[in-house]
Amino acid sequence: MPEKKLRVELLTMTPDALELTYAAFRQCYHAGFVADMWPRLLNGDIEKEKQAEFVSKVLESGHDSPIEHVSFTFAVEGISRACSHQIVRHRIASYSQQSQRYVAENDMDFIIPPAIRRIPEARERFEKFMEEVGSAYRDLREILVAAGRESKANEDARFVLPQAAETKIVITMNCRSLMHFFNLRCCQRAQWEVRAMAHLMLEKCKESFPAIFRHGGARCEQLGYCPEADRFACGRYPTLKELTGQK
């Protein structure tokens, strides 16, 4: 049962993402039909730099619904079941997660929280428990198979598996959902594991679609202040209360 490391890969994104976003934004302010403009966009008659500048300026105004037309699909491994439960709370998205019903966990990989990893006695106890869980899972699975539950052994034995169990997941989100995801999960208040994953996703989004995702990240980076209550602020940015001198 080895410890698993985080890995995030961008599988695909909507083709012609900049052109599509530009066309969607333009349709909101253009008297004509953007389908007539579309061939010119694909042919490069309107420079990509001008398209990106237009998209970025409109986005800064707070008008962001047209970016929903573009989506990104990621493959993620090396996260815990605890982390995946946080991810799937973002509802405007699609998920395909590795099933513990159909995939046997005889050699379960796991995730160790950094705070536990840093303390030798905590890590020793954690890893010992992972071994105990793995042994219990294998024993239960063998007992169930012997009792005639072979096709259902995985789904019954998995009840002893911990939240630390490693999982793999495919995630698809549109750009607007991703921006919201990054607002929340790149924040210092986010749990360490989902925050690390969000930052890796954001890096790939910035590389692939900078016109949109140069604005991405924790909410405070866009606002210039921390929108959290004083007791939750990490100190990276002043709170709105501090900024305005409110008491």
Side-chain angles (χ1 to χ4, degrees):
M1 298 192 303
E3 181 184 358
K4 195 77 172 182
K5 300 297 183 182
L6 173 64
R7 180 184 174 192
V8 175
E9 297 291 343
L10 174 60
L11 298 184
T12 190
M13 61 180 287
T14 303
D16 306 311
L18 177 59
E19 291 81 1
L20 178 58
T21 306
Y22 178 83
F25 271 120
R26 281 296 303 273
Q27 188 64 88
C28 297
Y29 307 105
H30 182 52
F33 186 35
V34 295
D36 298 330
M37 182 194 302
W38 186 246
R40 295 176 53 222
L41 292 174
L42 296 183
N43 291 334
D45 294 346
I46 302 176
E47 295 179 0
K48 286 183 178 291
E49 291 77 11
K50 291 184 177 180
Q51 294 182 52
E53 182 180 3
F54 177 81
V55 166
S56 186
K57 284 183 177 179
V58 178
L59 193 60
E60 287 175 351
S61 75
H63 183 193
D64 61 359
S65 59
I67 68 175
E68 292 180 2
H69 295 291
V70 173
S71 64
F72 284 68
T73 299
F74 298 89
V76 180
E77 71 170 356
I79 59 170
S80 67
R81 280 268 167 173
C83 183
S84 72
H85 293 329
Q86 296 180 59
I87 297 167
V88 299
R89 282 168 171 77
H90 293 266
R91 294 177 178 84
I92 305 178
S94 298
Y95 305 103
S96 299
Q97 186 170 6
Q98 186 179 64
S99 172
Q100 290 180 333
R101 291 183 66 200
Y102 300 110
V103 178
E105 295 282 4
N106 292 322
D107 298 304
M108 180 193 72
D109 294 324
F110 57 85
I111 311 301
I112 302 180
I116 292 177
R117 188 187 299 111
R118 286 193 294 267
I119 304 171
E121 57 268 35
R123 177 167 184 164
E124 181 181 0
R125 184 65 188 93
F126 186 92
E127 291 179 337
K128 182 178 180 182
F129 178 70
M130 291 298 110
E131 292 176 4
E132 293 166 357
V133 167
S135 177
Y137 175 87
R138 290 188 294 271
D139 289 347
L140 284 168
R141 192 173 179 279
E142 288 179 7
I143 293 168
L144 289 164
V145 169
R149 289 280 292 172
E150 184 168 359
S151 64
K152 302 293 184 181
N154 290 349
E155 70 176 35
D156 292 336
R158 67 178 171 158
F159 275 75
V160 300
L161 295 177
Q163 296 229 51
E166 187 264 347
T167 191
K168 299 172 177 63
I169 191 169
V170 172
I171 304 167
T172 298
M173 292 187 187
N174 68 52
C175 290
R176 196 181 193 189
S177 292
L178 278 167
M179 290 291 281
H180 177 67
F181 178 80
F182 297 142
N183 282 171
L184 298 180
R185 301 304 184 175
C186 289
C187 175
Q188 284 299 112
R189 286 198 64 214
Q191 189 247 3
W192 62 271
E193 189 179 13
V194 73
R195 186 171 69 245
M197 190 197 81
H199 279 294
L200 290 178
M201 290 170 63
L202 178 58
E203 286 178 14
K204 294 182 182 299
C205 287
K206 285 183 174 180
E207 292 171 4
S208 303
F209 201 178
I212 297 294
F213 289 103
R214 72 180 185 84
H215 304 280
R219 187 68 174 147
C220 59
E221 296 174 2
Q222 301 168 29
L223 297 173
Y225 64 86
C226 175
E228 301 282 352
D230 289 356
R231 68 182 184 276
F232 297 130
C234 70
R236 185 181 176 194
Y237 283 85
T239 64
L240 183 60
K241 185 176 179 180
E242 292 171 336
L243 206 61
T244 58
Q246 297 176 9
K247 295 183 179 180

